[in-house]
Amino acid sequence: MSTLFEKIGGEGAVDAAVDIFYRKVLSDDSISHFFETTDMEAQHAKQKAFLTMAFGGPNNYTGADMRAAHAPLVAKGLNESHFNAVAGHLQATLEELNVPADLIAEVMAIAGSTKDDVLGL
Amino acid sequence: MPNITYQGKAYSAEPDETVLETLLRNGVLVPYSCGAGACHTCMLHCQKGDVTERSQKDIKPALKSLNYFLACQCTPESDLEVALPDDEDVYVSARCVEKQQLSPTVWRFRFEIAVPLFYHAGQFVNLKNEAGWLRSYSLSSLPVEDEHLEIQVRRMPEGQMSHWLADDFDVGMHIELEGPNGHCIYTDGEAEKPILMVGTGTGLAPLIGILRDALHQGHSGPIHLYHGARTQDEIYLHDTLNELAQQHSNVHYHACISGDDVGEMKAGRAADVAMSDHSDLKGWRLFLCGAPEMVKTMRKNAFLAGASMPDISADAFTTPEH
């Protein structure tokens, strides 16, 4: 039985998705300010790490890391509407890449499971 | 918390503080510039203790084995004893063999060094004079074609080192050189890919090197070079670049003037002109060199216009703090 990460296409799928996803996020004025930094390359790498995790791939994320990493953003007003906007872009990215619906559902479930930690709830 | 010992005195590091931050917080003035692990100005020698892997990621293997590391990238996990680099480990002596003024504000310097330097056009070196002033300059020479190393220096109004180079440094004199560093280089294997280069001021220096490197390696796709300046007289090597464009049908050179009097040149900031000429950058390779704001904005716009992030190479000028 292959894992979600294998079924979705592994690292190649992450590489294909990261530019599309990050482009959507940066083009969305309601959330782009959370993602715009002087170091776009590092930010791009972070999006890649996030997608790897959401795709069920190897990662070292812990809830505590998620919480700590997003705390400065929560202080700047990050809330559920922003979280949902990002999730929407993730879903649209996967649809654009013709990922089967059942796999998209699994990815969205993993992404959704980070919500409390991301928003510091 | 770990202690950082420097010149016999121990300084206690705050949580999450880098070695550089600990030293500066305590008034210990070691050289530094970009704070991002790019310029290597803050390289130190660790004489006791273990530095982090991250702080040595980009260090040349020979220096790594001697325990050199970047102070701005090292959040210590245990006590360290550190010192400024030993000049003989890090620096080679470079002799100036040519100095030429290219515009009212830009000078070209050519150097010879006793030991061959293996570098790629577009990388940069750090130069240190006898007063200990340390600055980074990009290499515009091409190792296979040029006998000497070439840098281009713009006289910056507040720039201590650039004034010294322009006014007091001359042919026959020596300066200490460290490098090469940086990853803004032409990589072969994609000869047909279109290339977009945007540079402001002496951001042109690495771009000329990278352009010549691409041509030398047989790049066949179109190469568009946009050089931006405020006034026409700040556009330098204009004839050289026009000639290069005439000799190579795939090379397109655009001088852009952001001020009012543009003459025969293009009106507008180089990055804006480049983006309006090329709105779809999917599949393009980009090189961005110059003012940090331009590089940052252009990187984002190029990415949004379809360029893949790994295909965007940038070399932003770093502003020295002291």
Side-chain angles (χ1 to χ4, degrees):
Chain A
M1 187 62 205
S2 55
T3 64
L4 169 65
F5 191 58
E6 286 162 359
K7 280 190 275 189
I8 212 164
E11 218 171 304
V14 175
D15 285 334
V18 65
D19 274 3
I20 299 173
F21 171 68
Y22 190 32
R23 216 168 265 138
K24 285 182 191 297
V25 165
L26 275 181
S27 306
D28 182 342
D29 290 341
S30 72
I31 51 171
S32 63
H33 57 288
F34 291 117
F35 292 87
E36 234 179 325
T37 65
T38 40
D39 196 346
M40 295 261 303
E41 240 173 334
Q43 186 59 236
H44 186 262
K46 278 187 200 168
Q47 302 315 314
K48 200 170 159 177
F50 164 67
L51 290 184
T52 304
M53 190 264 316
F55 288 9
N59 70 86
N60 299 313
Y61 274 111
T62 66
D65 291 341
M66 277 277 184
R67 224 163 245 276
H70 290 86
L73 302 180
V74 171
K76 281 189 209 161
L78 185 77
N79 63 35
E80 190 165 354
S81 74
H82 302 124
F83 183 90
N84 291 340
V86 173
H89 292 307
L90 176 59
Q91 174 138 7
T93 300
L94 297 169
E95 284 164 0
E96 208 171 307
L97 290 169
N98 296 316
V99 174
D102 57 328
L103 299 185
I104 294 182
E106 282 191 59
V107 172
M108 295 312 293
I110 296 176
S113 72
T114 66
K115 184 162 148 185
D116 285 1
D117 286 322
V118 167
L119 297 178
L121 301 175
Chain B
M1 284 295 122
N3 277 323
I4 312 297
T5 305
Y6 178 82
Q7 290 185 342
K9 272 190 193 159
Y11 306 97
S12 175
E14 300 279 328
D16 294 329
E17 204 172 46
T18 65
V19 171
L20 180 63
E21 287 164 341
T22 306
L23 293 174
L24 294 177
R25 185 170 51 75
N26 286 286
V28 179
L29 291 179
V30 291
Y32 71 100
S33 179
C34 77
C39 74
H40 290 213
T41 309
C42 68
M43 188 159 64
L44 292 179
H45 188 194
C46 175
Q47 294 174 316
K48 218 178 196 178
D50 294 315
V51 297
T52 60
E53 203 180 311
R54 176 189 163 92
S55 70
Q56 289 190 306
K57 205 175 57 163
D58 208 26
I59 298 269
K60 272 188 285 187
L63 291 176
K64 194 171 164 174
S65 67
L66 292 171
N67 248 347
Y68 279 87
F69 71 106
L70 300 181
C72 76
Q73 296 298 301
C74 184
T75 312
E77 284 152 12
S78 54
D79 291 357
L80 297 180
E81 211 173 303
V82 302
L84 290 176
D86 288 330
D87 281 0
E88 57 222 61
D89 287 346
V90 175
Y91 292 94
V92 295
S93 180
R95 192 174 73 94
C96 179
V97 293
E98 192 183 331
K99 177 182 183 181
Q100 183 191 1
Q101 188 163 8
L102 299 175
S103 84
T105 53
V106 175
W107 280 260
R108 156 196 277 161
F109 293 90
R110 289 197 167 116
F111 296 99
E112 70 174 13
I113 47 176
V115 197
L117 189 72
F118 296 97
Y119 69 97
H120 295 277
Q123 287 192 289
F124 67 89
V125 292
N126 289 312
L127 296 185
K128 189 173 82 162
N129 70 2
E130 281 180 4
W133 303 344
L134 186 61
R135 295 289 183 275
S136 307
Y137 296 99
S138 294
L139 293 166
S140 58
S141 45
L142 191 57
V144 287
E145 290 183 3
D146 302 323
E147 189 187 348
H148 299 125
L149 299 175
E150 176 178 328
I151 62 163
Q152 292 159 13
V153 177
R154 181 168 179 215
R155 187 197 286 276
M156 307 301 284
E158 306 288 322
Q160 197 182 31
M161 184 76 148
S162 65
H163 283 303
W164 180 79
L165 284 167
D167 299 332
D168 302 324
F169 186 71
D170 222 326
V171 173
M173 291 169 71
H174 287 80
I175 195 162
E176 298 294 300
L177 182 149
E178 181 271 325
N181 305 304
H183 307 285
C184 192
I185 60 171
Y186 180 79
T187 40
D188 57 3
E190 294 176 308
E192 281 153 34
K193 207 163 188 159
I195 293 179
L196 180 60
M197 301 178 155
V198 182
T200 53
T202 42
L204 181 64
L207 294 182
I208 288 184
I210 295 163
L211 169 62
R212 290 176 57 216
D213 198 6
L215 293 172
H216 177 83
Q217 296 196 41
H219 192 87
S220 58
I223 305 175
H224 286 267
L225 168 61
Y226 291 79
H227 182 213
R230 206 167 36 82
T231 59
Q232 287 183 60
D233 64 3
E234 288 175 72
I235 293 289
Y236 64 96
L237 294 177
H238 191 57
D239 295 341
T240 307
L241 286 165
N242 272 325
E243 267 168 43
L244 203 62
Q246 270 163 17
Q247 288 162 5
H248 301 272
S249 59
N250 60 330
V251 174
H252 309 274
Y253 162 62
H254 317 267
C256 307
I257 305 299
S258 60
D260 291 333
D261 182 15
V262 305
E264 303 287 300
M265 299 176 185
K266 293 196 170 182
R269 290 164 182 267
D272 298 343
V273 177
M275 284 307 301
S276 83
D277 287 356
H278 309 280
S279 53
D280 182 2
L281 293 175
K282 192 170 162 57
W284 284 63
R285 178 95 175 83
L286 283 97
F287 294 95
L288 313 173
C289 302
E293 260 319 292
M294 182 283 285
V295 168
K296 181 191 160 196
T297 310
M298 181 73 196
R299 188 199 284 273
K300 180 186 167 190
N301 290 339
F303 178 66
L304 291 178
S308 181
M309 195 61 85
D311 282 337
I312 308 175
S313 296
D315 187 6
F317 292 161
T318 51
T319 314
E321 304 290 329
H322 54 85

